[in-house]
Amino acid sequence: EAGVAQSPRYKIIEKRQSVAFWCNPISGHATLYWYQQILGQGPKLLIQFQNNGVVDDSQLPKDRFSAERLKGVDSTLKIQPAKLEDSAVYLCASSLGHSETGTDYEQYFGPGTRLTVT
Amino acid sequence: QQQVKQSPQSLIVQKGGISIINCAYENTAFDYFPWYQQFPGKGPALLIAIRPDVSEKKEGRFTISFNKSAKQFSLHIMDSQPGDSATYFCAASIGNFGNEKLTFGTGTRLTIIP
């Protein structure tokens, strides 16, 4: 089974520039998450999709961050304009989603995109 | 504010020893407590998880101990090996069977020395 794919793996931009990250979840996974992991900290949820609908975006800085999940599969996360404090690893994760048995809730993480804003 | 506090920040254990990482939470609504292992350049991977209806769960060399009254849980790695050297994150969520929003601890960098 292929894992969660993310690209690019690394990105260096100057502040005030724009950047976009792409995520392809595990096939069949209905739930998709974007996390921000600042160096030395645990991942922090930015946005959660169930199919192509947003479940939770309460911690997404909406003045500069946006995300979409068209057709309920791939997702993109965009930052415009970037700030120095956006330097972090951006992790995408997916899970099977709601299960009748109450199982299969494990989140599978991609390798992340390391963003450096200079 | 939902928080999960993790300690220690870093840990060095000799090969064959027991590694212990502790976490504490505040929100009593949390009902799912996973531990994730992360190697450099990789995303976190689920190691072991527990629901609050049990006080302990063991999978191989990894054990979670859970104390509901103290709102604490810990990861024990028995017979620690150099391959266990990684960063470990505890997390907690209010379960909804597939829609969990995980709140992570700050991580523990574990180093196993020969």
CSV table of all heavy atoms in Angstrom, one decimal, chain B residues 21-69:
chain,number,residue,atom,x,y,z
B,21,ILE,N,8.9,7.8,29.1
B,21,ILE,CA,8.5,9.1,28.7
B,21,ILE,C,7.1,9.4,29.2
B,21,ILE,O,6.2,8.5,29.2
B,21,ILE,CB,8.5,9.3,27.1
B,21,ILE,CG1,9.8,8.9,26.5
B,21,ILE,CG2,8.1,10.7,26.7
B,21,ILE,CD1,9.8,8.8,25.0
B,22,ASN,N,6.9,10.5,29.8
B,22,ASN,CA,5.6,10.8,30.5
B,22,ASN,C,4.9,12.0,29.8
B,22,ASN,O,5.4,12.9,29.3
B,22,ASN,CB,5.9,11.3,31.9
B,22,ASN,CG,6.7,10.2,32.7
B,22,ASN,OD1,6.2,9.1,32.9
B,22,ASN,ND2,7.9,10.5,33.1
B,23,CYS,N,3.5,11.9,29.9
B,23,CYS,CA,2.7,12.9,29.4
B,23,CYS,C,1.5,13.2,30.4
B,23,CYS,O,1.1,12.2,31.1
B,23,CYS,CB,2.1,12.5,28.0
B,23,CYS,SG,3.3,12.8,26.7
B,24,ALA,N,1.1,14.4,30.4
B,24,ALA,CA,-0.1,14.8,31.3
B,24,ALA,C,-1.0,15.6,30.4
B,24,ALA,O,-0.6,16.4,29.6
B,24,ALA,CB,0.4,15.5,32.5
B,25,TYR,N,-2.3,15.4,30.7
B,25,TYR,CA,-3.3,16.2,29.9
B,25,TYR,C,-4.3,16.9,30.9
B,25,TYR,O,-4.3,16.5,32.1
B,25,TYR,CB,-4.0,15.3,29.0
B,25,TYR,CG,-4.8,14.2,29.6
B,25,TYR,CD1,-6.2,14.3,29.9
B,25,TYR,CD2,-4.2,13.0,30.0
B,25,TYR,CE1,-6.9,13.3,30.5
B,25,TYR,CE2,-4.9,12.0,30.6
B,25,TYR,CZ,-6.3,12.1,30.8
B,25,TYR,OH,-7.0,11.1,31.4
B,26,GLU,N,-5.0,17.8,30.4
B,26,GLU,CA,-5.9,18.6,31.2
B,26,GLU,C,-7.4,18.3,30.9
B,26,GLU,O,-8.3,18.3,31.7
B,26,GLU,CB,-5.7,20.1,31.1
B,26,GLU,CG,-4.3,20.5,31.5
B,26,GLU,CD,-4.0,21.9,31.3
B,26,GLU,OE1,-4.8,22.6,30.7
B,26,GLU,OE2,-2.9,22.4,31.7
B,27,ASN,N,-7.7,18.1,29.6
B,27,ASN,CA,-9.1,17.9,29.1
B,27,ASN,C,-9.6,16.5,29.4
B,27,ASN,O,-9.1,15.6,28.8
B,27,ASN,CB,-9.1,18.3,27.7
B,27,ASN,CG,-10.6,18.3,27.1
B,27,ASN,OD1,-11.5,17.9,27.8
B,27,ASN,ND2,-10.7,18.9,26.0
B,28,THR,N,-10.5,16.4,30.3
B,28,THR,CA,-11.0,15.1,30.7
B,28,THR,C,-11.9,14.5,29.6
B,28,THR,O,-12.3,13.3,29.7
B,28,THR,CB,-11.8,15.2,32.0
B,28,THR,OG1,-12.9,16.2,31.8
B,28,THR,CG2,-10.9,15.5,33.2
B,29,ALA,N,-12.2,15.2,28.5
B,29,ALA,CA,-12.9,14.7,27.4
B,29,ALA,C,-12.1,13.9,26.5
B,29,ALA,O,-12.6,13.1,25.6
B,29,ALA,CB,-13.6,15.8,26.6
B,30,PHE,N,-10.8,14.0,26.6
B,30,PHE,CA,-9.9,13.2,25.8
B,30,PHE,C,-10.2,11.7,26.0
B,30,PHE,O,-10.3,11.3,27.2
B,30,PHE,CB,-8.4,13.5,26.1
B,30,PHE,CG,-7.9,14.8,25.5
B,30,PHE,CD1,-7.0,15.5,26.3
B,30,PHE,CD2,-8.3,15.2,24.3
B,30,PHE,CE1,-6.5,16.7,25.8
B,30,PHE,CE2,-7.8,16.4,23.8
B,30,PHE,CZ,-6.9,17.2,24.5
B,31,ASP,N,-10.2,10.9,25.0
B,31,ASP,CA,-10.5,9.5,25.2
B,31,ASP,C,-9.7,8.6,24.2
B,31,ASP,O,-10.0,7.4,24.0
B,31,ASP,CB,-12.0,9.2,25.0
B,31,ASP,CG,-12.5,9.5,23.6
B,31,ASP,OD1,-11.8,10.1,22.8
B,31,ASP,OD2,-13.7,9.2,23.4
B,32,TYR,N,-8.7,9.2,23.7
B,32,TYR,CA,-7.8,8.4,22.8
B,32,TYR,C,-6.4,8.9,23.0
B,32,TYR,O,-6.2,10.1,22.8
B,32,TYR,CB,-8.3,8.4,21.3
B,32,TYR,CG,-7.4,7.7,20.3
B,32,TYR,CD1,-7.2,6.4,20.4
B,32,TYR,CD2,-6.7,8.5,19.3
B,32,TYR,CE1,-6.4,5.7,19.4
B,32,TYR,CE2,-5.9,7.8,18.4
B,32,TYR,CZ,-5.8,6.5,18.4
B,32,TYR,OH,-5.0,5.8,17.5
B,33,PHE,N,-5.4,8.0,23.3
B,33,PHE,CA,-4.1,8.5,23.6
B,33,PHE,C,-3.0,7.7,22.9
B,33,PHE,O,-2.6,6.6,23.3
B,33,PHE,CB,-3.8,8.4,25.2
B,33,PHE,CG,-4.8,9.1,26.0
B,33,PHE,CD1,-6.0,8.5,26.4
B,33,PHE,CD2,-4.6,10.4,26.3
B,33,PHE,CE1,-7.0,9.2,27.1
B,33,PHE,CE2,-5.5,11.1,27.1
B,33,PHE,CZ,-6.7,10.5,27.5
B,34,PRO,N,-2.6,8.2,21.7
B,34,PRO,CA,-1.6,7.5,20.9
B,34,PRO,C,-0.2,8.0,21.2
B,34,PRO,O,0.0,9.1,21.7
B,34,PRO,CB,-2.0,7.8,19.5
B,34,PRO,CG,-2.6,9.2,19.6
B,34,PRO,CD,-3.2,9.3,21.0
B,35,TRP,N,0.8,7.2,20.9
B,35,TRP,CA,2.2,7.6,20.9
B,35,TRP,C,2.7,7.4,19.5
B,35,TRP,O,2.4,6.4,18.8
B,35,TRP,CB,3.0,6.7,21.8
B,35,TRP,CG,2.8,7.0,23.2
B,35,TRP,CD1,1.9,6.5,24.1
B,35,TRP,CD2,3.6,8.0,24.0
B,35,TRP,NE1,2.1,7.1,25.4
B,35,TRP,CE2,3.1,8.0,25.3
B,35,TRP,CE3,4.7,8.8,23.7
B,35,TRP,CZ2,3.6,8.8,26.3
B,35,TRP,CZ3,5.2,9.6,24.7
B,35,TRP,CH2,4.7,9.6,26.0
B,36,TYR,N,3.4,8.4,19.0
B,36,TYR,CA,4.0,8.4,17.7
B,36,TYR,C,5.5,8.4,17.8
B,36,TYR,O,6.1,9.1,18.7
B,36,TYR,CB,3.5,9.7,16.9
B,36,TYR,CG,2.1,9.5,16.3
B,36,TYR,CD1,1.0,9.7,17.1
B,36,TYR,CD2,1.9,9.1,15.0
B,36,TYR,CE1,-0.3,9.6,16.6
B,36,TYR,CE2,0.6,9.0,14.5
B,36,TYR,CZ,-0.4,9.2,15.3
B,36,TYR,OH,-1.7,9.0,14.8
B,37,GLN,N,6.1,7.8,16.8
B,37,GLN,CA,7.6,7.7,16.7
B,37,GLN,C,8.0,8.4,15.4
B,37,GLN,O,7.4,8.2,14.3
B,37,GLN,CB,8.0,6.3,16.6
B,37,GLN,CG,9.5,6.0,16.5
B,37,GLN,CD,9.8,4.5,16.3
B,37,GLN,OE1,9.3,3.9,15.4
B,37,GLN,NE2,10.6,3.9,17.2
B,38,GLN,N,8.9,9.3,15.5
B,38,GLN,CA,9.4,10.0,14.3
B,38,GLN,C,10.9,10.0,14.1
B,38,GLN,O,11.6,10.4,15.0
B,38,GLN,CB,8.9,11.5,14.4
B,38,GLN,CG,9.2,12.3,13.1
B,38,GLN,CD,8.6,13.7,13.1
B,38,GLN,OE1,8.5,14.3,14.2
B,38,GLN,NE2,8.3,14.3,12.0
B,39,PHE,N,11.3,9.5,13.0
B,39,PHE,CA,12.7,9.5,12.6
B,39,PHE,C,13.0,10.8,11.8
B,39,PHE,O,12.1,11.3,11.1
B,39,PHE,CB,13.1,8.2,11.8
B,39,PHE,CG,13.0,7.0,12.7
B,39,PHE,CD1,11.9,6.1,12.5
B,39,PHE,CD2,14.0,6.7,13.6
B,39,PHE,CE1,11.8,5.0,13.3
B,39,PHE,CE2,13.9,5.5,14.4
B,39,PHE,CZ,12.8,4.7,14.2
B,40,PRO,N,14.3,11.2,11.8
B,40,PRO,CA,14.6,12.4,11.0
B,40,PRO,C,14.2,12.3,9.6
B,40,PRO,O,14.5,11.3,8.9
B,40,PRO,CB,16.1,12.5,11.2
B,40,PRO,CG,16.4,11.8,12.5
B,40,PRO,CD,15.4,10.7,12.6
B,41,GLY,N,13.6,13.3,9.1
B,41,GLY,CA,13.2,13.4,7.7
B,41,GLY,C,11.9,12.6,7.4
B,41,GLY,O,11.5,12.5,6.2
B,42,LYS,N,11.3,12.0,8.4
B,42,LYS,CA,10.1,11.2,8.2
B,42,LYS,C,8.9,11.8,8.9
B,42,LYS,O,9.1,12.6,9.9
B,42,LYS,CB,10.3,9.8,8.6
B,42,LYS,CG,11.5,9.1,8.0
B,42,LYS,CD,11.3,8.8,6.6
B,42,LYS,CE,12.4,7.9,6.0
B,42,LYS,NZ,12.2,7.7,4.6
B,43,GLY,N,7.7,11.5,8.5
B,43,GLY,CA,6.6,11.9,9.3
B,43,GLY,C,6.4,11.0,10.5
B,43,GLY,O,6.9,9.9,10.5
B,44,PRO,N,5.6,11.4,11.5
B,44,PRO,CA,5.4,10.6,12.6
B,44,PRO,C,4.6,9.3,12.2
B,44,PRO,O,3.8,9.3,11.3
B,44,PRO,CB,4.5,11.4,13.5
B,44,PRO,CG,4.7,12.8,13.0
B,44,PRO,CD,5.0,12.7,11.6
B,45,ALA,N,4.9,8.2,12.9
B,45,ALA,CA,4.2,6.9,12.7
B,45,ALA,C,3.6,6.4,14.0
B,45,ALA,O,4.3,6.5,15.0
B,45,ALA,CB,5.2,5.9,12.1
B,46,LEU,N,2.4,6.0,13.9
B,46,LEU,CA,1.8,5.4,15.1
B,46,LEU,C,2.5,4.3,15.7
B,46,LEU,O,2.8,3.3,15.0
B,46,LEU,CB,0.3,5.0,14.8
B,46,LEU,CG,-0.5,4.5,16.0
B,46,LEU,CD1,-0.7,5.6,17.0
B,46,LEU,CD2,-1.8,3.9,15.5
B,47,LEU,N,2.8,4.3,17.0
B,47,LEU,CA,3.5,3.3,17.7
B,47,LEU,C,2.6,2.4,18.5
B,47,LEU,O,2.6,1.2,18.3
B,47,LEU,CB,4.6,3.9,18.6
B,47,LEU,CG,5.6,3.0,19.2
B,47,LEU,CD1,6.5,2.4,18.2
B,47,LEU,CD2,6.5,3.9,20.2
B,48,ILE,N,1.8,3.0,19.3
B,48,ILE,CA,0.9,2.3,20.2
B,48,ILE,C,-0.1,3.3,20.7
B,48,ILE,O,0.2,4.5,20.8
B,48,ILE,CB,1.6,1.6,21.3
B,48,ILE,CG1,0.7,0.7,22.2
B,48,ILE,CG2,2.4,2.6,22.2
B,48,ILE,CD1,1.5,-0.1,23.2
B,49,ALA,N,-1.4,2.8,21.0
B,49,ALA,CA,-2.4,3.8,21.4
B,49,ALA,C,-3.2,3.1,22.5
B,49,ALA,O,-3.3,1.8,22.5
B,49,ALA,CB,-3.2,4.2,20.3
B,50,ILE,N,-3.9,3.9,23.3
B,50,ILE,CA,-4.7,3.3,24.4
B,50,ILE,C,-6.0,4.1,24.5
B,50,ILE,O,-6.0,5.3,24.3
B,50,ILE,CB,-3.9,3.3,25.7
B,50,ILE,CG1,-4.6,2.4,26.7
B,50,ILE,CG2,-3.7,4.7,26.3
B,50,ILE,CD1,-3.7,2.1,28.0
B,51,ARG,N,-7.1,3.5,24.9
B,51,ARG,CA,-8.3,4.1,25.3
B,51,ARG,C,-8.4,4.1,26.8
B,51,ARG,O,-7.8,3.2,27.5
B,51,ARG,CB,-9.5,3.4,24.7
B,51,ARG,CG,-9.6,3.4,23.2
B,51,ARG,CD,-10.3,4.7,22.7
B,51,ARG,NE,-10.4,4.7,21.2
B,51,ARG,CZ,-10.9,5.7,20.6
B,51,ARG,NH1,-11.3,6.8,21.3
B,51,ARG,NH2,-11.0,5.7,19.3
B,52,PRO,N,-9.1,5.0,27.5
B,52,PRO,CA,-9.0,5.1,28.9
B,52,PRO,C,-9.8,4.0,29.7
B,52,PRO,O,-9.8,4.1,30.9
B,52,PRO,CB,-9.7,6.5,29.2
B,52,PRO,CG,-10.5,6.8,28.0
B,52,PRO,CD,-9.8,6.1,26.8
B,53,ASP,N,-10.3,3.1,29.0
B,53,ASP,CA,-11.0,2.0,29.7
B,53,ASP,C,-10.1,0.9,30.2
B,53,ASP,O,-10.5,0.0,30.9
B,53,ASP,CB,-12.1,1.4,28.8
B,53,ASP,CG,-11.6,0.9,27.5
B,53,ASP,OD1,-10.5,1.4,27.0
B,53,ASP,OD2,-12.2,0.1,26.9
B,54,VAL,N,-8.8,1.0,29.8
B,54,VAL,CA,-7.8,0.1,30.4
B,54,VAL,C,-6.6,0.9,31.0
B,54,VAL,O,-6.4,2.1,30.6
B,54,VAL,CB,-7.2,-0.8,29.3
B,54,VAL,CG1,-8.3,-1.7,28.8
B,54,VAL,CG2,-6.6,0.0,28.1
B,55,SER,N,-5.9,0.3,31.9
B,55,SER,CA,-4.8,1.0,32.6
B,55,SER,C,-3.4,0.7,31.9
B,55,SER,O,-2.5,1.4,32.2
B,55,SER,CB,-4.8,0.7,34.0
B,55,SER,OG,-4.6,-0.7,34.2
B,56,GLU,N,-3.4,-0.3,31.1
B,56,GLU,CA,-2.1,-0.6,30.5
B,56,GLU,C,-2.3,-1.4,29.2
B,56,GLU,O,-3.3,-2.1,29.0
B,56,GLU,CB,-1.3,-1.5,31.5
B,56,GLU,CG,0.1,-1.8,31.0
B,56,GLU,CD,0.9,-2.6,32.0
B,56,GLU,OE1,1.4,-2.0,33.0
B,56,GLU,OE2,1.0,-3.9,31.8
B,57,LYS,N,-1.4,-1.1,28.2
B,57,LYS,CA,-1.5,-1.8,27.0
B,57,LYS,C,-0.1,-2.1,26.5
B,57,LYS,O,0.8,-1.2,26.6
B,57,LYS,CB,-2.2,-1.0,25.9
B,57,LYS,CG,-2.3,-1.7,24.6
B,57,LYS,CD,-3.1,-0.9,23.6
B,57,LYS,CE,-3.3,-1.6,22.2
B,57,LYS,NZ,-4.1,-0.9,21.3
B,58,LYS,N,0.2,-3.3,26.1
B,58,LYS,CA,1.5,-3.7,25.8
B,58,LYS,C,1.6,-4.3,24.4
B,58,LYS,O,0.7,-5.1,24.0
B,58,LYS,CB,2.0,-4.8,26.8
B,58,LYS,CG,3.4,-5.3,26.6
B,58,LYS,CD,3.9,-6.3,27.6
B,58,LYS,CE,5.3,-6.7,27.4
B,58,LYS,NZ,5.7,-7.7,28.5
B,59,GLU,N,2.5,-3.9,23.6
B,59,GLU,CA,2.8,-4.4,22.3
B,59,GLU,C,4.3,-4.6,22.1
B,59,GLU,O,5.0,-3.6,21.9
B,59,GLU,CB,2.2,-3.5,21.2
B,59,GLU,CG,0.7,-3.4,21.2
B,59,GLU,CD,0.1,-2.6,20.0
B,59,GLU,OE1,1.0,-2.0,19.3
B,59,GLU,OE2,-1.1,-2.4,20.0
B,60,GLY,N,4.7,-5.8,22.2
B,60,GLY,CA,6.1,-6.1,22.1
B,60,GLY,C,6.9,-5.5,23.3
B,60,GLY,O,6.5,-5.7,24.4
B,61,ARG,N,7.9,-4.7,22.9
B,61,ARG,CA,8.7,-4.0,23.9
B,61,ARG,C,8.1,-2.7,24.4
B,61,ARG,O,8.6,-2.0,25.3
B,61,ARG,CB,10.1,-3.8,23.4
B,61,ARG,CG,10.9,-5.0,23.1
B,61,ARG,CD,12.3,-4.8,22.6
B,61,ARG,NE,12.3,-4.0,21.4
B,61,ARG,CZ,12.7,-2.8,21.2
B,61,ARG,NH1,13.0,-2.0,22.3
B,61,ARG,NH2,12.7,-2.2,20.0
B,62,PHE,N,7.0,-2.3,23.8
B,62,PHE,CA,6.4,-1.0,24.1
B,62,PHE,C,5.1,-1.2,25.0
B,62,PHE,O,4.2,-2.0,24.7
B,62,PHE,CB,6.0,-0.3,22.8
B,62,PHE,CG,7.2,-0.1,21.9
B,62,PHE,CD1,7.5,-1.0,20.9
B,62,PHE,CD2,8.0,1.1,22.1
B,62,PHE,CE1,8.6,-0.8,20.1
B,62,PHE,CE2,9.1,1.3,21.2
B,62,PHE,CZ,9.4,0.4,20.3
B,63,THR,N,5.0,-0.4,26.0
B,63,THR,CA,3.9,-0.4,26.9
B,63,THR,C,3.4,1.0,27.2
B,63,THR,O,4.2,1.9,27.5
B,63,THR,CB,4.3,-1.1,28.3
B,63,THR,OG1,4.7,-2.5,28.0
B,63,THR,CG2,3.1,-1.1,29.2
B,64,ILE,N,2.1,1.2,27.2
B,64,ILE,CA,1.5,2.4,27.7
B,64,ILE,C,0.9,2.1,29.0
B,64,ILE,O,0.1,1.2,29.2
B,64,ILE,CB,0.4,3.0,26.7
B,64,ILE,CG1,0.9,3.3,25.4
B,64,ILE,CG2,-0.2,4.2,27.3
B,64,ILE,CD1,-0.2,3.8,24.4
B,65,SER,N,1.2,3.0,30.0
B,65,SER,CA,0.6,3.0,31.3
B,65,SER,C,-0.3,4.2,31.4
B,65,SER,O,0.1,5.3,31.0
B,65,SER,CB,1.6,3.0,32.4
B,65,SER,OG,2.4,1.8,32.4
B,66,PHE,N,-1.6,4.0,31.8
B,66,PHE,CA,-2.5,5.1,31.8
B,66,PHE,C,-3.1,5.3,33.2
B,66,PHE,O,-3.6,4.3,33.8
B,66,PHE,CB,-3.6,4.8,30.8
B,66,PHE,CG,-4.6,5.9,30.6
B,66,PHE,CD1,-4.3,7.0,29.9
B,66,PHE,CD2,-5.9,5.8,31.3
B,66,PHE,CE1,-5.3,8.0,29.7
B,66,PHE,CE2,-6.8,6.8,31.1
B,66,PHE,CZ,-6.5,7.9,30.4
B,67,ASN,N,-3.1,6.5,33.7
B,67,ASN,CA,-3.7,6.8,35.0
B,67,ASN,C,-4.7,7.9,34.9
B,67,ASN,O,-4.4,9.0,34.8
B,67,ASN,CB,-2.6,7.3,36.0
B,67,ASN,CG,-3.1,7.5,37.4
B,67,ASN,OD1,-4.2,7.8,37.7
B,67,ASN,ND2,-2.2,7.3,38.4
B,68,LYS,N,-6.0,7.4,34.8
B,68,LYS,CA,-7.1,8.3,34.5
B,68,LYS,C,-7.3,9.4,35.6
B,68,LYS,O,-7.5,10.5,35.3
B,68,LYS,CB,-8.4,7.5,34.3
B,68,LYS,CG,-9.5,8.3,33.8
B,68,LYS,CD,-10.7,7.4,33.4
B,68,LYS,CE,-11.9,8.2,32.9
B,68,LYS,NZ,-13.0,7.4,32.5
B,69,SER,N,-7.2,9.0,36.8
B,69,SER,CA,-7.4,9.9,37.9
B,69,SER,C,-6.3,11.0,38.0
B,69,SER,O,-6.6,12.2,38.3
B,69,SER,CB,-7.5,9.2,39.3
B,69,SER,OG,-6.2,8.5,39.5
